[in-house]
Amino acid sequence: MRTDGADDAQVTRWAQDAGRGDRQAATAFIRALQDQVWRFLSHLAGPGEADDLTQETFLRAFRNLPGFAGRSSARTWVFTIARRVAVDHVRTAVSRPRLASVPDWQAAAEAAGAITAGADESVTVHQLIAGLPPERREAFVATQVLGLSYAEAAEICQCPVGTIRSRVARAREDLATAWQLDSAPGHDRRTG
C-alpha cells in the first residue's frame, strides 16, 4: 500500500546517512516519509494542524538522527515521533484554550479544516475517522490508511500487537455504525 517507492531498509539507510551529514540522504529521507507523516497527523490532530506538526516531527527527527541506531525501521521511528508530537500538541491545546472573537465563525472553521463547506447533509470518511476515540483512530489510520503492519503500529503506539488488532476491529465497528446512523432515512446530523 506504500506509494513512495522506498522500502523500509532504504529509508533506514537514508536516515543513518543523514545522521552522518549526508544532505542528499536527508532529502530522500524526508521525501519518502513526508506525505505519510502528514496524513497520519492530519487524522490525529486535524488537517489544519498537520503542516506544522509534520514540520515539528521532522525537526525532532533531525535533532535525534545522529543517535538513531536503527533498532527499528526509520519509518517506525519517525511515526513514533509524530505520535508524540500530536500528543504534545493536544496537551498544549488543552492546557491553554484559545478564545477568539471571530465574526464569521463558520468560515474560520472551514479554513481550519474543522468543518467542510456544504457538508451539512453528508459525512466524509475523514469526519467519521476524526470521531473515533484517539487510541482507535491511531491504530486504524496507521494500519488501514497508511498501510503499516500491525507490528509497526504496535511499536509506534507503544502497545502489544493484539491491542492494535483489537483497536482496529473496534474502529471498523464504530465506523460502520456511524456510517449506518448517518445514512439512515430521515437522520439529521444537526440534531443527532
Side-chain angles (χ1 to χ4, degrees):
M1 178 136 193
R2 294 186 181 136
T3 58
D4 56 31
D7 65 8
D8 283 343
Q10 180 61 57
V11 173
T12 300
R13 281 191 297 277
W14 285 330
Q16 291 171 326
D17 291 346
R20 291 188 287 274
D22 183 331
R23 289 180 182 215
Q24 287 182 322
T27 300
F29 173 67
I30 291 171
R31 285 190 178 144
L33 298 177
Q34 186 173 12
D35 290 343
Q36 288 183 347
V37 169
W38 187 93
R39 285 173 48 201
F40 184 62
L41 289 166
S42 173
H43 286 288
L44 294 183
E49 304 293 333
D51 287 341
D52 289 342
L53 298 180
T54 299
Q55 184 175 6
E56 177 62 23
T57 297
F58 282 103
L59 286 172
R60 288 186 190 183
F62 272 83
R63 277 195 299 264
N64 293 296
L65 269 176
F68 173 66
R71 287 186 292 272
S72 63
S73 74
R75 186 181 313 268
T76 300
W77 179 69
V78 168
F79 277 106
T80 301
I81 294 169
R83 179 179 177 268
R84 288 185 194 133
V85 166
V87 168
D88 290 348
H89 172 73
V90 169
R91 283 186 189 137
T92 301
V94 169
S95 69
R96 287 188 245 150
R98 289 183 253 163
L99 300 175
S101 61
V102 178
D104 188 359
W105 66 268
Q106 191 165 3
E110 287 171 6
I115 61 173
T116 305
D120 287 340
E121 303 302 323
S122 66
V123 156
T124 64
V125 173
H126 182 79
Q127 289 168 320
L128 291 174
I129 292 171
L132 291 171
E135 315 80 43
R136 292 179 188 176
R137 184 172 57 241
E138 280 178 355
F140 184 84
V141 169
T143 60
Q144 307 305 300
V145 176
L146 298 176
L148 299 176
S149 72
Y150 284 91
E152 289 171 317
E155 190 170 337
I156 291 165
C157 296
Q158 300 172 342
C159 64
V161 172
T163 301
I164 293 295
R165 291 186 191 283
S166 173
R167 288 176 182 174
V168 169
R170 288 191 176 112
R172 286 180 180 149
E173 291 169 6
D174 292 349
L175 290 171
T177 300
W179 185 263
Q180 289 169 350
L181 285 174
D182 190 72
S183 60
H187 180 261
D188 186 349
R189 287 182 53 221
R190 292 169 293 195
T191 60

